[in-house]
Amino acid sequence: MNSFSSKNRVDIIQQINNSSFDLLVIGGGITGAGIALDASARGLKVALIEMQDFASGTSGRSTKLIHGGLRYLKQLELKLVAEVGKERDIVHKNAPHLTKPEPMLLPIAKGGSLNKFTARIAMFVYEIIAGVKKEERHTFLSKEETLKIEPLLKQKDLIGGILFYEYRTDDARLTIEVLKKAVATGTLAINYMKATSFNYTNDNITGANIHDEINGNQYQINAKYIVNACGPWVDEIGDLDQKRNKHKLQITKGIHLVVDWKKLPIKQSAYFDTFDNRMIFVIPREGKTYIGTTDTFYNDDIIHPKITNIDRDYILKCVNDYFPEQKLGAADIESGWAGIRPLVKKSNKGASEISRKDEIFESQSGLITIAGGKLTGYRKMANRIVDIIAKKINSTNKIKISNCKTNNIKLSGGEINKNFTFSEFMEVNILRGIDLGLTKEEAQKLTSRYGSNVAEIFQIIESLKVDYAYNIPIFLFSQLIYSIEKEMCVTPSDFFIRRISSLYFDIELVKEWGQKLVVCMQNIQGWDDNLTEHYSLELQKSINEIDEIKK
Ligand code: FAD
């Protein structure tokens, strides 16, 4: 099986450099990860490169919902609603540890975008189109019932509510679990490796020159087909191609804020109207509540989008309009993130009106680009891309590439014993974790974060107990070892942001253990002092940026 350990970076590079693949995927967000898995599962020889860490683009900065896209009904995006609605079930089935059904309250208020009548019709149409399961269909609530389940809501103008289901996920971990499965199925994947130019044979694209972002070395990959799955960067990659098409993207920014749950103690998630006719989510998670998102045109730095005071104050205003007693202020904010949407350009549309549909383009040289789309629909997007490649291969070769198989492929961590329900699986592993000396909360976190792979974390804990010399809690250290050896974690930021999402949902933990963990990683990875200082400053910069949101 291919390695996905950052300790084996040199070996992986050796296997990639000057080698020939059926498919090279550029971009290690959810789109690229999904394509790599689909193509590997159909027997193609695949390489995937990512210039930063996996999921450090849009795929680690979303609202973290596997959702049916109720709001897209308004724009009559029926096909999109149908697709993502149905995909929710498949993602849930294949990664139950990463997709939790989430009851979502939609309050209906006088003057809002829906009245009782239109809400009833919208829900009816939505559930038919999205193929919502019977047990997850909506319930209509009176004003009193709505307030009973969410007493914090503004009472003035409230008419009633609807309770419906979405699924909550961890976007970065979903991307990494898809990639882990792709690697287990044959993909060679590597992060911190940037595509810088292309090579051609008779004007057809046949390879890429790549740059190691860690040590500055240059390598080359040859591939029969190349897919540009670079999200907000697809135009930049297009610019590297001699025969590129016109720029395709319109980028918008969306931000989220995180507060302690006690500051906004909602009983379940809610999705509510804003004063400017948009919709915003408030979602409880791990003792916090997060709120988002904005949707504004953006043409600044796409690697480091920032939360401005205008973004922050907009979200605070929206949430205080609906939960007036809470009086949230900037000082209450614990964390937050900004992400950018790679939407396919359409003229004369407002930011929230641009379609979220994906589109596929092929340049004259053969570079295949996929832009737009949703985290939720990643599997179908991958299916479409690999179908295009399979058709090309099938037309030129005697070998037949099979149809898409990912419908039935469990993601890494999703291989739960069929004799257990998910809650039984959780119970058994929580007890196992407690036996190993973890607290109940720690055991619960590990089991729901890693799913069936929690067994590997428990093994690490067991082996550490013999001779543990680090001054870092075993709960944290065991995850660090696992993420380095099994999830290609390279830097402390990779760990705290995209492997365990503490920077967003437990920033105190990062402040307490961050720099000790840097020293520990230096020992494990053999970094020199310069590199160690670089990574230490990088982590501190992320913490400082979050502290700035409060000011
Ligand atoms: P990215 O995740 O950006 O991946 C592209 C990758 O390409 C990047 O990691 C980048 O580093 C890499 N790359 C770029 N150039 C190069 C190069 N030269 N060489 C190598 N690698 C390169 N969808 C949902 O379904 N549910 C939600 O709740 C949701 N909420 C959202 C909220 C916000 C605020 C935003 C912005 C989006 C949201 N979305 C949601 C949409 C979803 O997040 C995106 O559609 C999806 O993450 C896009 O993934 P991607 O892989 O195409 O792009």
Side-chain angles (χ1 to χ4, degrees):
M1 201 206 287
N2 288 330
S3 169
F4 203 39
S5 165
S6 58
K7 287 180 173 168
N8 291 347
R9 194 173 168 86
V10 174
D11 285 351
I12 297 168
I13 291 171
Q14 260 177 13
Q15 291 179 66
I16 281 179
N17 189 26
N18 283 321
S19 297
S20 294
F21 293 85
D22 294 318
L23 172 63
L24 167 64
V25 180
I26 308 175
I30 191 71
T31 308
I35 294 167
L37 173 57
D38 188 316
S40 279
R42 298 200 215 184
L44 298 188
K45 189 178 173 199
V46 182
L48 179 145
I49 54 165
E50 162 56 53
M51 71 174 176
Q52 312 174 76
D53 183 24
F54 306 115
S56 53
T58 310
S59 300
R61 298 156 176 269
S62 77
T63 306
K64 309 182 192 299
L65 288 174
I66 295 298
H67 66 140
L70 176 61
R71 129 179 141 68
Y72 309 129
L73 261 192
K74 218 164 131 186
Q75 284 134 298
L76 294 176
E77 297 264 22
L78 305 187
K79 230 173 135 190
L80 179 67
V81 175
E83 181 165 304
V84 290
K86 290 181 184 122
E87 277 303 294
R88 297 186 313 174
D89 250 3
I90 298 174
V91 186
H92 183 226
K93 177 188 75 173
N94 290 333
H97 61 307
L98 275 176
T99 33
K100 312 266 155 46
E102 183 79 14
M104 181 82 64
L105 176 65
L106 179 80
I108 306 175
K110 238 185 262 165
S113 60
L114 291 172
N115 59 39
K116 273 189 172 171
F117 178 68
T118 51
R120 229 173 245 278
I121 293 181
M123 286 315 296
F124 179 74
V125 174
Y126 166 71
E127 288 179 349
I128 299 264
I129 295 180
V132 177
K133 290 188 286 210
K134 251 195 188 134
E135 61 273 25
E136 290 184 1
R137 299 233 169 116
H138 72 277
T139 322
F140 254 94
L141 306 169
S142 65
K143 175 175 177 172
E144 292 67 36
E145 287 167 330
T146 307
L147 284 170
K148 200 165 163 201
I149 63 166
E150 195 46 87
L152 297 177
L153 277 177
K154 175 175 71 172
Q155 299 199 15
K156 189 171 172 278
D157 297 334
L158 188 72
I159 307 171
I162 301 171
L163 202 60
F164 67 111
Y165 276 87
E166 292 289 18
Y167 290 83
R168 208 183 64 192
T169 191
D170 178 324
D171 49 6
R173 288 214 57 84
L174 178 68
T175 305
I176 287 161
E177 298 292 27
V178 174
L179 264 172
K180 279 157 78 181
K181 193 64 183 199
V183 169
T185 316
T187 294
L188 273 170
I190 190 158
N191 50 7
Y192 297 99
M193 192 64 80
K194 179 176 182 174
T196 50
S197 59
F198 291 120
N199 299 319
Y200 299 84
T201 310
N202 300 331
D203 278 350
N204 292 323
I205 199 159
T206 50
N209 298 310
I210 59 178
H211 179 257
D212 187 329
E213 299 286 291
I214 296 176
N215 61 20
N217 289 344
Q218 302 281 350
Y219 308 100
Q220 197 193 320
I221 304 188
N222 305 312
K224 293 189 190 109
Y225 301 96
I226 301 185
V227 171
N228 167 10
C230 286
W233 292 265
V234 294
D235 285 335
E236 273 185 24
I237 292 290
D239 286 346
L240 299 179
D241 182 21
Q242 304 170 345
K243 303 271 168 94
R244 71 176 180 80
N245 296 317
K246 285 201 305 248
H247 280 190
K248 295 157 187 84
L249 289 189
Q250 173 73 67
I251 287 183
T252 77
K253 182 175 76 165
I255 71 122
H256 292 82
L257 300 178
V258 181
V259 297
D260 193 278
W261 180 79
K262 291 192 194 92
K263 297 278 177 190
L264 185 55
I266 45 172
K267 288 194 179 170
Q268 78 282 296
S269 296
Y271 186 39
F272 61 88
D273 282 315
T274 60
F275 64 92
D276 57 346
N277 248 332
R278 297 188 52 257
M279 302 287 292
I280 281 200
F281 289 101
V282 285
I283 302 172
R285 173 176 161 165
E286 295 174 39
K288 312 287 170 193
T289 301
Y290 69 98
I291 315 153
T293 175
T294 55
D295 199 353
T296 48
F297 288 122
Y298 184 75
N299 52 16
D300 209 333
D301 179 5
I302 51 179
I303 294 217
H304 302 111
K306 293 218 168 60
I307 298 178
T308 64
N309 287 0
I310 295 175
D311 300 328
R312 176 197 70 192
D313 294 343
Y314 170 86
I315 293 282
L316 289 175
K317 173 171 170 36
C318 295
V319 81
N320 284 329
D321 279 352
Y322 248 87
F323 299 92
E325 296 301 312
Q326 301 317 116
K327 299 187 176 53
L328 284 186
D332 296 318
I333 297 164
E334 286 192 359
S335 188
W337 63 92
I340 42 183
R341 299 179 185 83
L343 307 177
V344 180
K345 205 187 277 184
K346 296 278 175 285
S347 52
N348 301 328
K349 293 244 181 192
S352 295
E353 289 157 6
I354 302 175
S355 172
R356 268 57 181 165
K357 257 195 339 246
D358 58 288
E359 288 189 30
I360 295 171
F361 310 86
E362 193 172 338
S363 76
Q364 283 175 42
S365 65
L367 177 68
I368 302 169
T369 294
I370 180 155
K374 303 278 300 168
L375 193 80
T376 310
Y378 81 91
R379 203 190 60 84
K380 290 300 281 183
M381 290 163 68
N383 183 348
R384 284 192 276 278
I385 285 281
V386 184
D387 275 354
I388 291 173
I389 295 165
K391 201 169 162 197
K392 288 176 191 287
I393 297 175
N394 290 344
S395 69
T396 53
N397 268 352
K398 289 205 177 90
I399 330 154
K400 283 273 171 268
I401 303 297
S402 65
N403 289 337
C404 176
K405 297 179 172 170
T406 51
N407 187 343
N408 292 315
I409 296 181
K410 299 275 181 217
L411 300 188
S412 181
E415 284 115 1
I416 312 286
N417 185 329
K418 278 192 189 125
N419 300 324
F420 288 114
T421 63
F422 189 69
S423 43
E424 285 165 347
F425 163 82
M426 285 291 298
E427 262 171 49
V428 169
N429 281 288
I430 290 168
L431 290 176
R432 170 102 182 90
I434 294 171
D435 267 358
L436 287 169
L438 298 169
T439 65
K440 186 176 174 195
E441 197 198 344
E442 288 171 341
Q444 198 160 9
K445 264 195 184 158
L446 292 181
T447 311
S448 82
R449 184 171 292 156
Y450 298 99
S452 52
N453 292 325
V454 74
E456 296 189 46
I457 304 263
F458 288 163
Q459 252 172 22
I460 295 172
I461 294 178
E462 223 155 356
S463 68
L464 286 172
K465 278 176 132 185
V466 183
D467 189 16
Y468 186 58
Y470 289 99
N471 60 349
I472 291 175
I474 279 204
F475 166 70
L476 210 54
F477 188 80
S478 54
Q479 294 183 80
L480 176 68
I481 297 296
Y482 180 78
S483 72
I484 289 173
E485 293 179 356
K486 299 293 168 83
E487 301 187 334
M488 205 172 268
C489 170
V490 174
T491 77
S493 300
D494 297 348
F495 180 65
F496 282 118
I497 302 175
R498 290 164 291 275
R499 302 303 181 283
I500 65 167
S501 52
S502 301
L503 191 82
Y504 302 146
F505 296 104
D506 193 0
I507 193 159
E508 288 311 315
L509 179 130
V510 189
K511 287 180 179 171
E512 185 173 358
W513 298 106
Q515 293 308 329
K516 290 192 185 84
L517 192 122
V518 173
V519 176
C520 177
M521 284 185 87
Q522 177 178 26
N523 290 336
I524 296 171
Q525 301 278 39
W527 299 333
D528 63 23
D529 287 346
N530 283 341
L531 196 56
T532 309
E533 194 186 351
H534 170 75
Y535 289 146
S536 158
L537 289 174
E538 184 182 72
L539 181 65
Q540 192 54 47
K541 194 169 160 230
S542 301
I543 297 173
N544 295 347
E545 276 176 11
I546 283 172
D547 285 342
E548 280 297 306
I549 309 171
K550 298 179 185 200
K551 293 180 186 157

